[in-house]
Amino acid sequence: MMSDSAEPDLPVHDVVGVGFGPSNLGLAIAAAEQGLDARFVERQERFGWHRGMLLQDATMQISYLKDLVTLRNPASPYSFLSYLHDRDRLADFINYGSAFPTRLEFHDYLEWVAAAFADQVAYDCEVTAIQPVAGEPGLLDVRTSGGVLRARNVVLATGLVPRLPEGVRASERVWHSRDLLPGTEAALARGTAPQRVVVIGAGQSAAEAVDHLHRTFTDAQVCAVFARYGYSPADDSAFANRVFDPAAVDDFFRAPSGVKDAILGYHANTNYSVVDPELIESLYRTHYHERVSGRERLEFRNVSRVADAVETDDRVELAVESLIDGARDVLSADLVVYATGYRSADPGRLLGGLAARCRRDADGRLDMCRDYRVATDPAIAAGIYVQGATEHTHGLSSTLLSNVAVRSGEIAASVAASVRSGHLAPTHS
């Protein structure tokens, strides 16, 4: 479906970003460096990034140097160090003696940067469709709940979608880990202390949820259910971390499909279903000390899965099945937290009829160019870029903060080159 060309007086922006999380926030900085006219649309009422997991003592799992800009432009006024200087905490952070700020502090940094670009962002605004403009193959209309934005390029960065097992629905008693803090606050406000809380999952969010709930509900039994024998430590060793280097994106993009699969498999333990070793040790010590004292509140159901869950008016009944012998126990829980991860939002959802003009690989995934453009049919000359749903072409850092600075710079440079040259966007990878 073509956009109505009866709107000829709309201003044309060089780039419109859909979503304004860390990825497109990084793009806003890079676009400003390139002198591009950029606008962004965000459905949240204000900037926010995983607010439900901003636990008091949780630290980032990447160095502060992997902020929004430093790997691309260390002299940028939007670096984490510039933020610390502005907040009069630079010396204090140096004395802090760690490369890993708390998640709360890093979120404050992101908000600090977002405030500088507030005039370019329409918050509390939903994108309803992206359509080609009739008679203008190099333009797209981004239709939103607040009006229409016309652009030469669109960058989709709609973030991650919480994943729940099939048949599970979030409720007052059943949460995804992304809602850990608001769910905890609501439970505390109800005034009835839970007797048992169950956390399902074996990754960092699951372990953090177990630790948080155990400390918050001091009389409750907290039960962790996971398929592994125990929590597995994240591999953040120097050589393994090279998989997140900017140069690794080039290597991954050029590699044959079989090698891509192997790389993802070899290095999954840098990111997926793994936990910081310090947190593993802390949980184990807590568990051991409780066994010594004879008051065990922290329980682990390992090599197990939840086979069935039934929610009643005042509890959730969980059938926990051993993967070893199939034996089942029924756990009656007041609260259940699924720390079962996320999936990338489908960029095709917003593209409507444009999705048919985007090329796909043999597995039905978007055919991506190295500069994060979607390969399109020749009839589409405008640029469509994606941040996030590109792990199959660009590797493990596609959905992570690790490469935001470089990735957003590459996208901005690509957009700037096409705008300034007047050339059509490439139609193949």
Side-chain angles (χ1 to χ4, degrees):
M1 176 178 168
M2 291 287 183
S3 182
D4 188 349
S5 58
E7 300 174 299
D9 297 328
L10 284 175
V12 177
H13 304 289
D14 293 328
V15 59
V16 169
V18 180
F20 199 62
S23 289
N24 268 353
L25 179 55
L27 178 64
I29 302 171
E33 292 173 356
Q34 293 283 353
L36 296 170
D37 174 17
R39 294 293 184 273
F40 299 89
V41 180
E42 171 56 52
R43 62 183 176 183
Q44 295 187 100
E45 294 182 358
R46 59 193 174 107
F47 182 87
W49 176 67
H50 294 302
R51 286 186 177 276
M53 288 296 291
L54 294 180
L55 303 172
Q56 188 68 37
D57 300 324
T59 58
M60 297 293 293
Q61 293 174 279
I62 60 170
S63 165
Y64 71 90
L65 293 173
K66 291 186 175 182
D67 58 19
L68 298 173
V69 292
T70 297
L71 280 174
R72 182 188 74 251
N73 179 14
S76 170
Y78 300 109
S79 70
F80 185 77
L81 291 179
S82 294
Y83 153 80
L84 289 172
H85 184 267
D86 183 70
R87 291 286 200 252
D88 195 26
R89 287 204 308 272
L90 182 54
D92 290 338
F93 184 81
I94 293 171
N95 293 333
Y96 177 62
S98 174
F100 306 101
T102 65
R103 209 174 290 157
L104 275 169
E105 184 173 33
F106 201 81
H107 191 276
D108 190 57
Y109 157 67
L110 295 175
E111 288 185 301
W112 176 78
V113 177
F117 295 91
D119 61 340
Q120 296 181 23
V121 188
Y123 287 105
D124 196 18
C125 191
E126 189 87 18
V127 173
T128 57
I130 299 173
Q131 301 167 338
V133 177
E136 296 284 355
L139 298 178
L140 297 170
D141 275 350
V142 179
R143 296 194 171 272
T144 79
S145 55
V148 181
L149 293 169
R150 185 160 289 177
R152 297 181 179 91
N153 301 274
V154 171
V155 180
L156 305 177
T158 50
L160 300 173
V161 179
R163 181 189 288 119
L164 288 170
E166 186 176 354
V168 173
R169 297 291 180 267
S171 69
E172 185 179 88
R173 296 183 178 278
V174 178
W175 322 327
H176 187 273
S177 57
R178 74 157 184 182
D179 297 317
L180 180 64
L181 285 180
T184 302
E185 291 168 4
L188 290 169
R190 288 195 292 272
T192 303
Q195 297 302 301
R196 176 183 276 152
V197 180
V198 176
V199 178
I200 300 159
Q204 180 72 19
S205 294
E208 288 180 358
V210 168
D211 181 60
H212 170 74
L213 294 167
H214 185 267
R215 288 187 288 110
T216 301
F217 301 115
T218 54
D219 291 321
Q221 183 182 35
V222 178
C223 180
V225 179
F226 45 77
R228 298 184 177 216
Y229 209 82
Y231 294 120
S232 297
D235 184 356
D236 64 350
S237 59
F239 284 111
N241 268 337
R242 284 182 170 177
V243 76
F244 301 116
D245 287 355
V249 178
D250 287 318
D251 293 338
F252 191 92
F253 189 83
R254 294 196 305 264
S257 60
V259 175
K260 284 183 169 71
D261 292 340
I263 291 172
L264 292 175
Y266 292 150
H267 296 289
N269 65 342
T270 60
N271 183 54
Y272 295 117
S273 296
V274 288
V275 182
D276 285 340
E278 294 83 359
L279 181 54
I280 295 175
E281 182 178 349
S282 175
L283 287 172
Y284 190 87
R285 286 181 178 274
T286 298
H287 176 57
Y288 183 78
H289 292 160
E290 288 184 351
R291 293 197 68 186
V292 171
S293 70
R295 183 173 181 256
E296 295 186 47
R297 292 198 302 114
L298 192 54
E299 179 186 2
F300 297 96
R301 297 290 186 102
N302 60 355
V303 202
S304 299
R305 70 181 185 96
V306 173
D308 194 18
V310 178
E311 185 172 2
T312 65
D313 290 339
D314 60 352
R315 67 181 59 86
V316 183
E317 302 288 345
L318 298 170
V320 178
E321 180 181 272
S322 167
L323 297 177
I324 295 175
D325 58 13
R328 287 192 178 190
D329 287 333
V330 175
L331 297 182
S332 181
D334 300 291
L335 300 172
V336 178
V337 179
Y338 283 90
T340 44
Y342 298 82
R343 59 178 173 80
S344 294
D346 179 11
R349 181 181 64 83
L350 294 174
L351 295 175
L354 272 173
R357 308 279 186 88
C358 297
R359 298 187 177 180
R360 303 268 175 174
D361 65 15
D363 295 316
R365 301 168 299 191
L366 287 173
D367 184 6
M368 302 298 304
C369 304
R370 173 59 184 84
D371 58 1
Y372 300 92
R373 290 188 308 270
V374 180
T376 59
D377 291 343
I380 303 298
I384 301 172
Y385 296 76
V386 171
Q387 298 211 65
T390 60
E391 186 175 274
H392 62 293
T393 52
H394 289 72
L396 281 164
S397 65
S398 291
T399 61
L400 306 179
L401 283 170
S402 298
N403 206 30
V404 165
V406 175
R407 180 173 67 243
S408 57
E410 291 173 345
I411 293 173
S414 175
V415 169
S418 65
V419 167
R420 289 167 186 162
S421 68
H423 291 167
L424 302 182
T427 58
H428 58 83
S429 54

PDB file of all heavy atoms in Angstrom, residues 53-68:
ATOM      1  N   MET A  53      14.470  -4.223  36.050  1.00  0.00           N
ATOM      2  CA  MET A  53      15.618  -4.976  36.563  1.00  0.00           C
ATOM      3  C   MET A  53      16.723  -4.054  37.078  1.00  0.00           C
ATOM      4  O   MET A  53      17.886  -4.468  37.205  1.00  0.00           O
ATOM      5  CB  MET A  53      16.176  -5.894  35.467  1.00  0.00           C
ATOM      6  CG  MET A  53      15.316  -7.089  35.126  1.00  0.00           C
ATOM      7  SD  MET A  53      15.134  -8.263  36.500  1.00  0.00           S
ATOM      8  CE  MET A  53      16.795  -8.930  36.612  1.00  0.00           C
ATOM      9  N   LEU A  54      16.377  -2.812  37.404  1.00  0.00           N
ATOM     10  CA  LEU A  54      17.375  -1.882  37.924  1.00  0.00           C
ATOM     11  C   LEU A  54      17.554  -2.111  39.428  1.00  0.00           C
ATOM     12  O   LEU A  54      17.227  -1.266  40.274  1.00  0.00           O
ATOM     13  CB  LEU A  54      16.965  -0.432  37.639  1.00  0.00           C
ATOM     14  CG  LEU A  54      16.932  -0.014  36.165  1.00  0.00           C
ATOM     15  CD1 LEU A  54      16.520   1.437  36.035  1.00  0.00           C
ATOM     16  CD2 LEU A  54      18.293  -0.242  35.506  1.00  0.00           C
ATOM     17  N   LEU A  55      18.093  -3.262  39.755  1.00  0.00           N
ATOM     18  CA  LEU A  55      18.320  -3.641  41.147  1.00  0.00           C
ATOM     19  C   LEU A  55      19.449  -2.802  41.748  1.00  0.00           C
ATOM     20  O   LEU A  55      20.400  -2.419  41.047  1.00  0.00           O
ATOM     21  CB  LEU A  55      18.660  -5.122  41.233  1.00  0.00           C
ATOM     22  CG  LEU A  55      17.608  -6.067  40.629  1.00  0.00           C
ATOM     23  CD1 LEU A  55      18.122  -7.500  40.582  1.00  0.00           C
ATOM     24  CD2 LEU A  55      16.317  -5.990  41.403  1.00  0.00           C
ATOM     25  N   GLN A  56      19.354  -2.559  43.025  1.00  0.00           N
ATOM     26  CA  GLN A  56      20.238  -1.607  43.687  1.00  0.00           C
ATOM     27  C   GLN A  56      21.718  -1.920  43.478  1.00  0.00           C
ATOM     28  O   GLN A  56      22.523  -1.040  43.208  1.00  0.00           O
ATOM     29  CB  GLN A  56      19.922  -1.575  45.186  1.00  0.00           C
ATOM     30  CG  GLN A  56      20.652  -0.487  45.964  1.00  0.00           C
ATOM     31  CD  GLN A  56      20.179   0.912  45.598  1.00  0.00           C
ATOM     32  OE1 GLN A  56      19.001   1.126  45.350  1.00  0.00           O
ATOM     33  NE2 GLN A  56      21.102   1.865  45.530  1.00  0.00           N
ATOM     34  N   ASP A  57      22.098  -3.192  43.614  1.00  0.00           N
ATOM     35  CA  ASP A  57      23.525  -3.545  43.570  1.00  0.00           C
ATOM     36  C   ASP A  57      23.944  -4.229  42.272  1.00  0.00           C
ATOM     37  O   ASP A  57      25.109  -4.631  42.140  1.00  0.00           O
ATOM     38  CB  ASP A  57      23.860  -4.471  44.747  1.00  0.00           C
ATOM     39  CG  ASP A  57      23.586  -3.810  46.089  1.00  0.00           C
ATOM     40  OD1 ASP A  57      23.804  -2.597  46.192  1.00  0.00           O
ATOM     41  OD2 ASP A  57      23.144  -4.512  47.018  1.00  0.00           O
ATOM     42  N   ALA A  58      23.030  -4.387  41.329  1.00  0.00           N
ATOM     43  CA  ALA A  58      23.372  -5.083  40.083  1.00  0.00           C
ATOM     44  C   ALA A  58      24.325  -4.236  39.251  1.00  0.00           C
ATOM     45  O   ALA A  58      24.117  -3.035  39.060  1.00  0.00           O
ATOM     46  CB  ALA A  58      22.110  -5.386  39.292  1.00  0.00           C
ATOM     47  N   THR A  59      25.368  -4.862  38.753  1.00  0.00           N
ATOM     48  CA  THR A  59      26.354  -4.145  37.952  1.00  0.00           C
ATOM     49  C   THR A  59      26.222  -4.506  36.483  1.00  0.00           C
ATOM     50  O   THR A  59      25.662  -5.547  36.120  1.00  0.00           O
ATOM     51  CB  THR A  59      27.787  -4.464  38.419  1.00  0.00           C
ATOM     52  OG1 THR A  59      28.007  -5.874  38.330  1.00  0.00           O
ATOM     53  CG2 THR A  59      28.007  -4.005  39.852  1.00  0.00           C
ATOM     54  N   MET A  60      26.751  -3.644  35.644  1.00  0.00           N
ATOM     55  CA  MET A  60      26.801  -3.920  34.218  1.00  0.00           C
ATOM     56  C   MET A  60      27.749  -5.086  33.958  1.00  0.00           C
ATOM     57  O   MET A  60      28.681  -5.335  34.736  1.00  0.00           O
ATOM     58  CB  MET A  60      27.284  -2.684  33.460  1.00  0.00           C
ATOM     59  CG  MET A  60      26.364  -1.481  33.572  1.00  0.00           C
ATOM     60  SD  MET A  60      24.778  -1.740  32.769  1.00  0.00           S
ATOM     61  CE  MET A  60      25.300  -1.817  31.043  1.00  0.00           C
ATOM     62  N   GLN A  61      27.534  -5.776  32.856  1.00  0.00           N
ATOM     63  CA  GLN A  61      28.410  -6.887  32.486  1.00  0.00           C
ATOM     64  C   GLN A  61      29.376  -6.498  31.371  1.00  0.00           C
ATOM     65  O   GLN A  61      30.056  -7.358  30.812  1.00  0.00           O
ATOM     66  CB  GLN A  61      27.558  -8.091  32.076  1.00  0.00           C
ATOM     67  CG  GLN A  61      26.766  -8.666  33.232  1.00  0.00           C
ATOM     68  CD  GLN A  61      25.807  -9.768  32.806  1.00  0.00           C
ATOM     69  OE1 GLN A  61      24.717  -9.498  32.325  1.00  0.00           O
ATOM     70  NE2 GLN A  61      26.231 -11.007  32.990  1.00  0.00           N
ATOM     71  N   ILE A  62      29.419  -5.213  31.078  1.00  0.00           N
ATOM     72  CA  ILE A  62      30.389  -4.688  30.115  1.00  0.00           C
ATOM     73  C   ILE A  62      31.093  -3.479  30.721  1.00  0.00           C
ATOM     74  O   ILE A  62      30.574  -2.823  31.626  1.00  0.00           O
ATOM     75  CB  ILE A  62      29.730  -4.277  28.781  1.00  0.00           C
ATOM     76  CG1 ILE A  62      28.671  -3.187  29.014  1.00  0.00           C
ATOM     77  CG2 ILE A  62      29.139  -5.471  28.062  1.00  0.00           C
ATOM     78  CD1 ILE A  62      28.157  -2.558  27.752  1.00  0.00           C
ATOM     79  N   SER A  63      32.264  -3.179  30.223  1.00  0.00           N
ATOM     80  CA  SER A  63      33.033  -2.035  30.693  1.00  0.00           C
ATOM     81  C   SER A  63      32.318  -0.723  30.357  1.00  0.00           C
ATOM     82  O   SER A  63      31.621  -0.612  29.350  1.00  0.00           O
ATOM     83  CB  SER A  63      34.413  -2.035  30.024  1.00  0.00           C
ATOM     84  OG  SER A  63      35.061  -0.795  30.180  1.00  0.00           O
ATOM     85  N   TYR A  64      32.544   0.287  31.214  1.00  0.00           N
ATOM     86  CA  TYR A  64      31.985   1.612  30.942  1.00  0.00           C
ATOM     87  C   TYR A  64      32.513   2.184  29.633  1.00  0.00           C
ATOM     88  O   TYR A  64      31.897   3.072  29.031  1.00  0.00           O
ATOM     89  CB  TYR A  64      32.296   2.566  32.106  1.00  0.00           C
ATOM     90  CG  TYR A  64      33.762   2.956  32.203  1.00  0.00           C
ATOM     91  CD1 TYR A  64      34.256   4.079  31.543  1.00  0.00           C
ATOM     92  CD2 TYR A  64      34.660   2.198  32.958  1.00  0.00           C
ATOM     93  CE1 TYR A  64      35.595   4.429  31.624  1.00  0.00           C
ATOM     94  CE2 TYR A  64      35.991   2.545  33.044  1.00  0.00           C
ATOM     95  CZ  TYR A  64      36.458   3.664  32.381  1.00  0.00           C
ATOM     96  OH  TYR A  64      37.787   4.015  32.458  1.00  0.00           O
ATOM     97  N   LEU A  65      33.654   1.674  29.148  1.00  0.00           N
ATOM     98  CA  LEU A  65      34.205   2.157  27.880  1.00  0.00           C
ATOM     99  C   LEU A  65      33.365   1.704  26.682  1.00  0.00           C
ATOM    100  O   LEU A  65      33.501   2.245  25.588  1.00  0.00           O
ATOM    101  CB  LEU A  65      35.645   1.686  27.710  1.00  0.00           C
ATOM    102  CG  LEU A  65      36.647   2.282  28.708  1.00  0.00           C
ATOM    103  CD1 LEU A  65      38.003   1.617  28.559  1.00  0.00           C
ATOM    104  CD2 LEU A  65      36.765   3.791  28.516  1.00  0.00           C
ATOM    105  N   LYS A  66      32.495   0.713  26.906  1.00  0.00           N
ATOM    106  CA  LYS A  66      31.575   0.294  25.843  1.00  0.00           C
ATOM    107  C   LYS A  66      30.251   1.037  26.013  1.00  0.00           C
ATOM    108  O   LYS A  66      29.167   0.453  26.053  1.00  0.00           O
ATOM    109  CB  LYS A  66      31.373  -1.220  25.877  1.00  0.00           C
ATOM    110  CG  LYS A  66      32.623  -1.985  25.461  1.00  0.00           C
ATOM    111  CD  LYS A  66      32.371  -3.480  25.347  1.00  0.00           C
ATOM    112  CE  LYS A  66      33.598  -4.197  24.813  1.00  0.00           C
ATOM    113  NZ  LYS A  66      33.374  -5.654  24.630  1.00  0.00           N
ATOM    114  N   ASP A  67      30.375   2.345  26.095  1.00  0.00           N
ATOM    115  CA  ASP A  67      29.200   3.207  26.227  1.00  0.00           C
ATOM    116  C   ASP A  67      28.644   3.496  24.837  1.00  0.00           C
ATOM    117  O   ASP A  67      28.875   2.745  23.889  1.00  0.00           O
ATOM    118  CB  ASP A  67      29.552   4.481  27.000  1.00  0.00           C
ATOM    119  CG  ASP A  67      30.684   5.279  26.333  1.00  0.00           C
ATOM    120  OD1 ASP A  67      30.957   5.073  25.134  1.00  0.00           O
ATOM    121  OD2 ASP A  67      31.298   6.120  27.018  1.00  0.00           O
ATOM    122  N   LEU A  68      27.921   4.587  24.689  1.00  0.00           N
ATOM    123  CA  LEU A  68      27.271   4.897  23.413  1.00  0.00           C
ATOM    124  C   LEU A  68      28.223   5.438  22.352  1.00  0.00           C
ATOM    125  O   LEU A  68      27.848   5.494  21.177  1.00  0.00           O
ATOM    126  CB  LEU A  68      26.146   5.905  23.644  1.00  0.00           C
ATOM    127  CG  LEU A  68      25.001   5.450  24.548  1.00  0.00           C
ATOM    128  CD1 LEU A  68      24.050   6.612  24.824  1.00  0.00           C
ATOM    129  CD2 LEU A  68      24.235   4.293  23.925  1.00  0.00           C
TER     130      LEU A  68
END
